[in-house]
Structures are given as C-alpha cells and as structure tokens.
Amino acid sequence: MKVVKFGGSSLATGKQLEKVFNIVTSDPSRRIIVVSAPGKRNAEDEKVTDLLIASGLHAMNGESPQPFIDQVIGRYRDIAEDLALPPTIIETIKDDLLSRVNGSQSDPEQYIDTLKASGEDNHAKLVACYFQMKGVHAKYMNPGDAGLIVTNEHGNAQVLPSAYNKLVELRDCEEIIIFPGFFGYSEEGDIFTFSRSGSDVTGSILAHAVKAELYENYTDVDAVFSVNPTFVEHPKEIKELTYREMRELSYAGFTVLHDEALIPAIQAGIPVQIKNTNNPAAKGTKIVNSRDNTNGPVVGIASGGGFCSIYVSKYLLNREIGFGRRLYSILEQYGISYEHTPSGIDDVTVIIRENQLDAEEENHIIEQIVSELQADEVNIQHSLALIMVVGEGMRHNIGTMARAANALAQAEVNIEMINQGSSEVSMMFAVKEVDEKRAVQALYNEFFQPASVLTV
Amino acid sequence: MKVVKFGGSSLATGKQLEKVFNIVTSDPSRRIIVVSAPGKRNAEDEKVTDLLIASGLHAMNGESPQPFIDQVIGRYRDIAEDLALPPTIIETIKDDLLSRVNGSQSDPEQYIDTLKASGEDNHAKLVACYFQMKGVHAKYMNPGDAGLIVTNEHGNAQVLPSAYNKLVELRDCEEIIIFPGFFGYSEEGDIFTFSRSGSDVTGSILAHAVKAELYENYTDVDAVFSVNPTFVEHPKEIKELTYREMRELSYAGFTVLHDEALIPAIQAGIPVQIKNTNNPAAKGTKIVNSRDNTNGPVVGIASGGGFCSIYVSKYLLNREIGFGRRLYSILEQYGISYEHTPSGIDDVTVIIRENQLDAEEENHIIEQIVSELQADEVNIQHSLALIMVVGEGMRHNIGTMARAANALAQAEVNIEMINQGSSEVSMMFAVKEVDEKRAVQALYNEFFQPASVLTV
C-alpha cells in the first residue's frame, strides 16, 4: 500500500482536486491520502494557514477575526462550488471554524495551534466529501481517532513511539483514508502542530506506521533540482538520491522537502517518491536507501546564509582536557546549538545559526568565554553562508575536493572554512554570504556541466 | 642580553665544547648558557640521559646500575680529558651521581627524575669548569638556587608564574651563567623534569624571565627544513617563520624544536634563532612575531602518524543541544584529549592520538557512547596521519586549498578529512598512514618546487 501526500498548491482549487482524484484512483494501492490546507492559487494569493494565523492574532488583540474567517470559508466555498459538492460540507467547516475561533485564549499558543490545524483538518473533510460524491469508498480520518499522539511542543511536536501501535490499524481500513496533515494530539487530547511543512511529517509517520511500500509526496515541481534554480537556470533534475543525500541537501536550504520530515519514513526504510500533481507523467525524484553511483560523484549542491562563527584561541588549548566541553556548556547556557566546530591546534571555531544571537548576548558570551576559559582571543564573524556539496560515495572519489576547491578558486571565492570527512556524503564550505551565489554557480558548472559529467 | 641553549650533540665531546666556547665568547651579549646532557657522538652512540634512565631502572629491579653509571662517568671523563680539565670535576660528578643512584626509591618517578636530571646538571658543572679554566668569568647555576620553581608533574613539569619574580635576578649576575636544562624544583625542593626536549623549555623560560633580546637555540642542523628530510631530499630551509607557524609545524611532527618549548619565549615576545653549532656562519632560522609574506603562501609542511578517528552518528544530532558536550564528557572520563572534531549534520568525528586507547578501552567507550547518547552508529578508524600545510596569511590566499587538493589528487591520495578555517595559518589533512609520505611529497612539490614559487 502507498501513502500519498498532497501539498497546498495541489489542493488549492477544484481543478486541482480533480487532478488529485485522478491520481489517487488510478492506482488501487494508494490507500492513505494526506492533505494540506489549501495553498496559493497564484503568486499573489494567500495560504489558508496564513489567514488562519492572522484571524487568531487579531482575535487575541481584541480585533475582529471575521474578515479572515470569511476569506478562509470563501476558499473552501470556491472549491466546493467548482466541484458541485453538497452545501452541507461548508456548513460543517463553518461551524468547526467558529467553535475554534471562539475557543479559549488562556493558552495563546494552544489557541493558535488549534486554529492553524483547522486548515488541514477541514480540507480533509472536504476532500473526503468529494471522493464520496464521486462514488469512491473514502472517509475522513481524525488524527486523534487514528492514534497520532505527539509531544506537547507547539509548532514542533514529535510523534511518540507508542503512536505507531495504534496507527498500524490504518492498514485494515476498508475505505481510502483522507488524513489531515500538519498536526497530532497530545495524550491530554490537545492539538499540537508539527514544524514547517508538517504535512510531509504526517505522511512520513503514516508511511512508517503502515509499512507502506512507497510514500508518494505530490507537490508542484517535476523533481528535486540538483541546485537552487534561483542561482542556476534550468538545473538538472535528480532522478534518485539516498536518504542521507536528501538530509544533507535539506540542511543547507533545499526547500522541496522539509529538513526532518522524512525521518519517520527513513527509520522504516520506506522509499519516498517526489511527484508533480500538475504533471503526474513526469518521473519525479525517488529517495531511497541506496543507489547506483552512476552519474558522477556529486548529486546536488545546497546552500544557505545566516551563519556566524565564534573563534576562540588559547595557547596550549590542545593539552587542556575538557576545554571543548566547557566552551560548549557556556553556549548551552544561552540555549545555543552549534553546527560545526573546526579546530586548529590552539583554537576552535564554533559555527552557529546567526539568529540565535543578539548583540547583547554576543557580548555576554564573549566575556564569559574570556573569563571562564581564560581564552586569549574570542571574536565573531558574521554573515557566513554554508555550502553543501553532496553525493553518496564522494568521499572515496579521489580528486572531488580538488575539483571543488579549483572551481571556487577560479571564481575568486575565498573559502572561509572547510569541514570534510565526518559525513561520507558531503563536503561543506563556508564562504561569505556575498560570495554564496557565485560559489554555488562555480560548483554547479564544475560538477554538472556536460564536460564534467563522467557517466550519464 | 641573549640566552643561548646548546643541544646534546653540541656538547657531546671536548671538540664540540670548544666550538661552544668560541660561539659564546664571540658575542659579549651571550650571558646565559643553557646546556643539555652529552648527546650522541655518532649514530650508534647512546645519550647520557638514556644511560641514566637505564641505571635507575636496573637499580629499582634489584640489578646493579654500575655498568651504566660507569659509562656515564666515562663520557664526562672523556670530555674532561679532551679539554685537560682538573680531575676534581670528575670526582664532583661521581659523588653527585652516586648519591643520586643510592637515594630513596620510595617514589619511583621521583627517583628516576632525580637521576635523569643529573645529565644536564653535572654537564653544566663541567662546562662552567671549562669556561673558568679558559679564564672566562663563568659560573654554574643551580635551577633551585635560581628560583626555577615548577609544578609537581614528573616528566611534564610546568613553570610556575611566580618563578619569574626570582629568575629575573639572573640579569644582574656578573658571570656568564651556565644553567642546566631539562628540570626545575618543586616548592618542596624536589626535582621535576620537563617533557621531551626539556632543555629548550629551560632556555625559553630563562629568555622570558630576563627579557632577553634573543633566544639562540644551537643544535646540529643549519636551519629548520620546510619539510621532513626523510621524505624529501635536500628540502628548502626556512629563513624566518612566525611563532604560530612554528607551533603548527611542531604539532604534527617537526622535531627541531619541541612542540611547546617556545611558549614562555612567545609569551614574552622574544625572537628565537635556530643555529648550528657545527656551522655557526649559517644564517639559521629565526622565529619571530610577524614576518613579510614574500615567498609564497606556504612556509612548511609537517606530518605525523598515530591518530585515529571515532565516528558517531545519530539522526537529528544537530537539533540536540548538549550532544557534543556529553560526548566529550565521556572521553574525558577516560582521560582522553581530542585533537579535532569535524562534523556533518547527523554525525561528528573525534580525532584523537591513538596511543590513548587500548582495545578494551575502545570497546568500553563505544558501548558507553551508544548507551548514554543513543547513538545510531559508532566506529573507530585506525592508523591515520595528519598533515599540516602551514603558512602565515595562507587563509586569504585564494586558491591555496585548490593547489593542495589537486596535488593530493594527482598523487592518488584520498583525503580522509580536511579541517580548515579555524587557524588562519594552516590547512590540515587526514590521510591513511600508508599514504603519508606520498602525500607530503606531492604537497612539497606543489608549493616548493621552483615552478610553483611565486616570489623568491
């Protein structure tokens, strides 16, 4: 059986829902359908989720949420009218939405999460209604009834391992299941949303739970690109990549799939297929456990800005057992997680996401490192970008680093930092943010332009 | 004033002592002379220090130390006879040596340290006797009397900051001071030796204490080589390098100067001149605070084997605040200091010196990391060599990494790891030990062969 997830743009209009219906019903093994809230119909449009958040914030501010609620209901109504659905479905959605917006605001995060989650929840009801109207044996499934129990973290909920014991029963459901993405319920029965792209998480969890043969993730691109298409025109599509490659690419800014959404599917060894709702004939990108390394050492290049480095030096640092641990404890006191820690002999640099620090905190941290660790020098460099060059087996391909470093030198990009050798599937470069685009272009040209591809 | 240190081979024979005498007396600013124990006279010879250790170990084993003691005394007698010194000096040395070898063995480390230190201590007495006989106003200075107070760590003593308050008085001494290297005294008055090449440490401490204009370090090579001469024939000599370059080079196996011996001199900003006792006209190598970057980005290449890597991977590792700290705490429990910690997204690799681990400990550590940190995978790779490519300002020289990586690729060396960007003056590569020599040769050819040198 297959778990199939559709993104917001795939479910934004009645016309889109018809495509979804055709896709689902063209393969009888598509048994569990995870739906997002209606997304944008065009570049200027607003996502239903954003309208729901706005309504909640206005209500908490003592202002009327009604204009936003009206817009949300309007979106569902448009779709329902396009598809000639019975008007009762809009009444159902309206009642649900009003009970949420008029609910308790005593816990603001709970209030917002409950509202946000309605985007998916109500759309799942609408989609189920549509499928039923078309004569398909389908039903809406509430995540709480299905047993999707999560941790009490608003906007960052994690599935509890015990949830899988109940979710596995979805296998035995006779109907096609229409399951809302993005949220689960705490053990106390409250709604908690997942992080960004949370519908991907839901699909991934359900695929794990039912041991799906495939987790299909329908979005609005034909495939995952090998590089950010705003940096390189018409970049190559990736036909197949491994979980590890995907994860490394996601880390530094690939946006097709949510950074950590795949983890539950990965844990169960379930392949993931990225497909395009608007062009289901396109092969898409398959994410698998292992792949043949037949098209060069590099499968993709990702990058992202917003990093900074904290440099700490002290004579004889490498003789001091515990220095690193004490340094990281200081960062931990400020709730700072770090990404990488390249080191010299008498120095260590800690790479962190810049948004974790404000100027005041920065000064406190520097002072504390100097005073507690007797560091000789501490300084912070801002506005760095990390570039990940990713490819399975790359590590044992002699000369890959030389090609990458050459390409950057030719493009006159200074390499601020290299971290290579822990992961077998990536090389990481830090460059100044202003050099990011040029660096990525140079690396792409080196590894993906026809002259450089070893085997096609 | 200058502090001048002579190594063991510079003091191994009467003929060598004549050279030392001529060097010292040719410059009236040479006021403090640090001496080593007599070293090897030829490749088959034994160092006095090694003979002293052997005598101590035999004595503690209940065997006779006499054959070794006789050899030691023989070495001093040969020198004294070469120079026609008064026989009383040999009696003095003999008495001193017997009182040490017959001393208390209740603390074995203390017993050995006391014996070891006699090599330098007695040779300083002999050298002072020789200088006096030649009519020079010179005197032996006992480190305890001079105030060289150190921590209670056998074989790894560290100078106490308070020692400098007393040692500064050496400035006012009218005689040329002949000072034994390699050891100091604890506050309780016991002898404690420094680590390997401890006479360099003594010279460095005294140069700091008296604010010397120069610390001259006489050894048996004309200069510091830019690369290990057992890997490359007739390598270039380094005319000038900075403290930081020296320290980075020393770390990975440069043996001309002891890894950390220069620290006290560096702290006081005192330049260090490496000279050859056997060829005092040679310019040597000067170690300074800063230098003109006029002969290419790379000043030297050093390497050393005996490293291993501990690889730890865990899904979502980069979201876990405190993971690194907890990992390093485990290593700390085993007294393991680590060198470098390159990291991927879901993994971190810890590079350590291999001799800190035995097979049993290795298994314990792996088990503890798996159980305490719920790591998904832990494995250890043995027999790695680290290669440091060192040069001041190299970091901002675009293309240096490309040249290095190219050279390694051409030599078909696989780069196991790169750590670059924390130190501004080095790039570090890890390669398999079997590839070390080939890798160093390739890097030397790239950066030091005439075609590649940008400016001479």
Side-chain angles (χ1 to χ4, degrees):
Chain A
M1 89 194 292
K2 293 173 185 160
V3 172
V4 192
K5 177 257 170 182
F6 291 93
S9 67
S10 302
L11 295 160
T13 64
K15 204 173 159 58
Q16 290 297 84
L17 259 72
E18 285 172 14
K19 293 180 192 168
V20 167
F21 179 81
N22 290 332
I23 290 167
V24 171
T25 54
S26 69
D27 179 349
S29 64
R30 294 180 173 131
R31 304 291 304 163
I32 299 179
I33 315 304
V34 177
V35 302
S36 306
K40 293 184 180 188
R41 290 161 296 189
N42 52 61
E44 288 73 42
D45 203 12
E46 290 199 81
K47 291 181 180 179
V48 161
T49 304
D50 293 332
L51 294 168
L52 289 164
I53 293 170
S55 74
L57 295 176
H58 276 71
M60 289 197 301
N61 255 338
E63 299 165 69
S64 168
Q66 203 56 46
F68 300 100
I69 296 294
D70 288 346
Q71 272 186 276
V72 170
I73 293 171
R75 291 292 307 273
Y76 290 115
R77 183 177 290 123
D78 287 350
I79 297 171
E81 286 174 0
D82 280 352
L83 299 171
L85 299 186
T88 49
I89 184 67
I90 297 304
E91 291 310 309
T92 304
I93 291 175
K94 205 183 217 169
D95 290 349
D96 174 85
L97 207 43
L98 287 178
S99 89
R100 296 191 199 227
V101 80
N102 294 326
S104 164
Q105 298 177 12
S106 62
D107 177 345
E109 286 190 299
Q110 184 62 63
Y111 179 69
I112 294 289
D113 251 12
T114 303
L115 261 175
K116 270 159 76 179
S118 77
E120 278 73 10
D121 202 26
N122 285 321
H123 209 24
K125 294 173 199 165
L126 187 152
V127 171
C129 169
Y130 170 53
F131 274 50
Q132 287 156 2
M133 192 193 75
K134 297 273 278 182
V136 169
H137 213 44
K139 76 168 184 187
Y140 158 81
M141 176 65 75
N142 176 271
D145 295 341
L148 181 43
I149 307 302
V150 299
T151 58
N152 294 14
E153 294 174 82
H154 289 295
N156 192 29
Q158 307 286 320
V159 64
L160 290 174
S162 58
Y164 291 117
N165 302 334
K166 177 86 161 55
L167 287 168
V168 68
E169 294 171 12
L170 296 175
R171 282 192 72 87
D172 305 322
C173 188
E174 284 175 17
E175 297 96 340
I176 292 179
I177 293 166
I178 313 294
F179 201 106
F182 193 36
F183 70 98
Y185 286 81
S186 67
E187 284 177 324
E188 295 75 28
D190 295 317
I191 285 176
F192 285 83
T193 58
F194 298 124
S195 54
R196 197 169 58 83
S197 307
S199 296
D200 290 337
V201 178
T202 303
S204 186
I205 291 167
L206 297 186
H208 176 133
V210 303
K211 309 273 177 291
E213 63 187 280
L214 187 66
Y215 169 31
E216 291 182 314
N217 196 306
Y218 276 84
T219 175
D220 52 7
V221 294
D222 278 354
V224 176
F225 289 125
S226 53
V227 70
N228 183 339
T230 68
F231 288 174
V232 174
E233 268 184 66
H234 307 302
K236 275 197 194 260
E237 295 174 355
I238 302 176
K239 298 264 175 291
E240 192 174 72
L241 77 170
T242 65
Y243 299 136
R244 293 202 298 180
E245 289 171 334
M246 181 74 221
R247 172 128 174 85
E248 304 257 352
L249 287 169
S250 301
Y251 166 72
F254 258 49
T255 51
V256 171
L257 271 198
H258 176 48
D259 195 326
E260 288 143 14
L262 290 189
I263 304 285
I266 291 170
Q267 286 171 336
I270 293 159
V272 180
Q273 181 79 45
I274 312 283
K275 294 278 280 180
N276 189 353
T277 305
N278 305 314
N279 183 17
K283 288 225 164 191
T285 299
K286 193 167 190 178
I287 306 164
V288 296
N289 203 27
S290 66
R291 70 175 176 92
D292 285 342
N293 190 11
T294 48
N295 53 342
V298 175
V299 73
I301 300 167
S303 65
F307 293 90
C308 71
S309 64
I310 305 174
Y311 169 87
V312 181
S313 82
K314 181 180 184 183
Y315 275 131
L316 295 185
L317 189 154
N318 79 321
R319 275 178 63 160
E320 267 187 57
I321 291 183
F323 186 91
R325 179 183 51 76
R326 286 183 292 141
L327 173 61
Y328 307 138
S329 294
I330 292 175
L331 297 179
E332 215 175 309
Q333 286 166 33
Y334 289 86
I336 289 172
S337 65
Y338 53 90
E339 307 292 317
H340 301 283
T341 57
S343 55
I345 293 164
D346 290 330
D347 47 54
V348 58
T349 298
V350 185
I351 309 283
I352 66 169
R353 288 184 195 269
E354 209 156 35
N355 60 11
Q356 297 183 98
L357 269 187
D358 59 31
E360 194 188 340
E361 230 170 29
E362 191 172 311
N363 288 332
H364 286 318
I365 289 173
I366 292 176
E367 280 166 27
Q368 200 171 338
I369 292 172
V370 169
S371 67
E372 285 186 21
L373 302 180
Q374 283 88 49
D376 297 325
E377 190 186 341
V378 183
N379 62 55
I380 298 194
Q381 188 184 359
H382 287 279
S383 302
L384 295 176
L386 296 188
I387 301 175
M388 307 289 296
V389 179
V390 177
E392 198 73 48
M394 196 174 65
R395 179 178 181 183
H396 296 293
N397 192 303
I398 288 174
T400 309
M401 172 57 71
R403 289 175 66 186
N406 263 331
L408 294 174
Q410 294 291 327
E412 298 195 352
V413 171
N414 193 53
I415 303 171
E416 299 292 320
M417 204 189 86
I418 297 178
N419 200 337
Q420 188 249 349
S422 185
S423 163
E424 296 189 352
V425 305
S426 69
M427 297 183 290
M428 197 202 76
F429 299 94
V431 302
K432 292 197 174 67
E433 277 178 357
V434 293
D435 292 337
E436 177 186 353
K437 185 176 174 181
R438 210 167 71 252
V440 169
Q441 287 167 339
L443 290 166
Y444 182 82
N445 287 340
E446 173 61 31
F447 289 109
F448 290 94
Q449 290 304 70
S452 305
V453 174
L454 302 174
T455 329
V456 183
Chain B
M1 87 195 293
K2 293 174 185 161
V3 172
V4 191
K5 177 255 167 183
F6 291 93
S9 67
S10 302
L11 296 158
T13 64
K15 202 173 161 58
Q16 290 296 84
L17 260 70
E18 285 172 12
K19 293 179 192 169
V20 167
F21 180 81
N22 290 332
I23 289 167
V24 171
T25 54
S26 69
D27 179 349
S29 64
R30 293 182 173 130
R31 303 290 305 161
I32 299 178
I33 315 304
V34 177
V35 302
S36 306
K40 294 185 180 188
R41 292 161 295 191
N42 52 59
E44 288 73 41
D45 204 11
E46 291 200 78
K47 293 182 179 179
V48 162
T49 304
D50 292 333
L51 295 169
L52 288 165
I53 294 170
S55 75
L57 295 176
H58 276 72
M60 288 197 301
N61 254 339
E63 299 165 68
S64 168
Q66 204 55 47
F68 300 101
I69 296 295
D70 288 346
Q71 272 186 273
V72 171
I73 293 170
R75 290 293 305 274
Y76 290 115
R77 182 177 288 122
D78 287 349
I79 297 170
E81 284 175 359
D82 280 352
L83 300 171
L85 299 186
T88 49
I89 183 67
I90 297 303
E91 292 308 312
T92 304
I93 291 174
K94 207 184 220 167
D95 291 349
D96 174 86
L97 208 42
L98 287 178
S99 90
R100 295 189 200 229
V101 80
N102 294 327
S104 163
Q105 298 177 11
S106 63
D107 178 347
E109 286 190 299
Q110 184 63 63
Y111 178 70
I112 293 289
D113 251 11
T114 303
L115 260 174
K116 269 159 77 180
S118 77
E120 279 72 11
D121 202 28
N122 284 323
H123 209 25
K125 294 174 198 163
L126 186 151
V127 171
C129 169
Y130 169 54
F131 273 49
Q132 289 156 2
M133 191 193 76
K134 297 274 278 183
V136 168
H137 212 46
K139 75 168 185 188
Y140 158 80
M141 177 64 76
N142 176 273
D145 296 341
L148 181 44
I149 307 302
V150 300
T151 57
N152 295 16
E153 294 173 82
H154 289 294
N156 192 29
Q158 307 287 319
V159 63
L160 290 174
S162 59
Y164 291 118
N165 302 334
K166 179 87 161 51
L167 288 169
V168 69
E169 294 171 12
L170 296 176
R171 283 192 71 88
D172 306 322
C173 188
E174 284 174 19
E175 297 95 339
I176 292 179
I177 293 166
I178 313 293
F179 201 106
F182 193 36
F183 70 98
Y185 286 81
S186 67
E187 283 177 324
E188 295 75 29
D190 294 319
I191 286 176
F192 284 84
T193 58
F194 298 125
S195 54
R196 199 169 57 85
S197 306
S199 295
D200 290 337
V201 179
T202 303
S204 185
I205 291 168
L206 298 184
H208 176 134
V210 303
K211 308 274 177 290
E213 62 186 279
L214 187 66
Y215 169 33
E216 292 183 314
N217 196 304
Y218 277 83
T219 174
D220 52 7
V221 295
D222 278 353
V224 176
F225 289 124
S226 52
V227 69
N228 184 340
T230 67
F231 287 175
V232 174
E233 267 184 68
H234 306 304
K236 275 198 192 261
E237 295 174 355
I238 301 175
K239 299 263 174 290
E240 194 173 72
L241 77 169
T242 64
Y243 299 136
R244 292 201 298 179
E245 289 170 336
M246 182 73 219
R247 172 128 173 84
E248 304 256 353
L249 287 170
S250 301
Y251 167 72
F254 258 47
T255 49
V256 172
L257 272 196
H258 177 48
D259 194 326
E260 286 142 15
L262 290 188
I263 303 286
I266 291 170
Q267 285 170 336
I270 293 157
V272 181
Q273 182 78 46
I274 311 284
K275 295 278 280 178
N276 189 350
T277 304
N278 304 316
N279 183 18
K283 289 228 162 186
T285 299
K286 193 168 192 178
I287 306 165
V288 296
N289 203 26
S290 66
R291 71 175 176 92
D292 286 343
N293 190 12
T294 51
N295 54 342
V298 174
V299 74
I301 300 166
S303 65
F307 293 90
C308 71
S309 64
I310 305 175
Y311 169 87
V312 181
S313 82
K314 181 181 184 182
Y315 276 132
L316 295 186
L317 189 154
N318 79 323
R319 276 177 63 160
E320 266 187 57
I321 292 183
F323 185 90
R325 179 184 50 76
R326 288 181 292 142
L327 173 61
Y328 307 139
S329 294
I330 292 175
L331 297 178
E332 217 174 305
Q333 287 166 32
Y334 290 86
I336 290 173
S337 65
Y338 54 89
E339 307 290 319
H340 301 283
T341 56
S343 55
I345 294 164
D346 290 329
D347 47 57
V348 57
T349 298
V350 185
I351 308 283
I352 67 170
R353 288 184 195 270
E354 210 156 33
N355 60 11
Q356 298 182 98
L357 270 187
D358 58 30
E360 194 188 341
E361 228 168 31
E362 192 173 308
N363 288 332
H364 286 318
I365 289 173
I366 292 177
E367 279 166 27
Q368 201 171 337
I369 293 172
V370 169
S371 67
E372 285 185 21
L373 302 180
Q374 281 90 50
D376 297 325
E377 191 186 341
V378 182
N379 62 57
I380 298 193
Q381 188 183 0
H382 288 278
S383 303
L384 296 176
L386 296 188
I387 301 175
M388 307 287 297
V389 179
V390 177
E392 199 73 47
M394 196 175 63
R395 179 179 179 182
H396 295 294
N397 192 302
I398 288 175
T400 311
M401 172 56 72
R403 289 176 65 186
N406 263 330
L408 294 175
Q410 295 291 325
E412 299 195 352
V413 172
N414 193 52
I415 303 171
E416 298 292 320
M417 203 189 86
I418 297 178
N419 201 337
Q420 187 249 351
S422 187
S423 163
E424 297 188 351
V425 305
S426 69
M427 297 184 290
M428 196 203 77
F429 299 93
V431 302
K432 292 197 175 68
E433 277 177 357
V434 293
D435 291 337
E436 176 186 354
K437 184 174 175 181
R438 209 167 72 252
V440 169
Q441 287 167 337
L443 291 166
Y444 182 83
N445 287 340
E446 173 62 32
F447 290 109
F448 291 94
Q449 289 304 72
S452 305
V453 175
L454 303 174
T455 331
V456 182

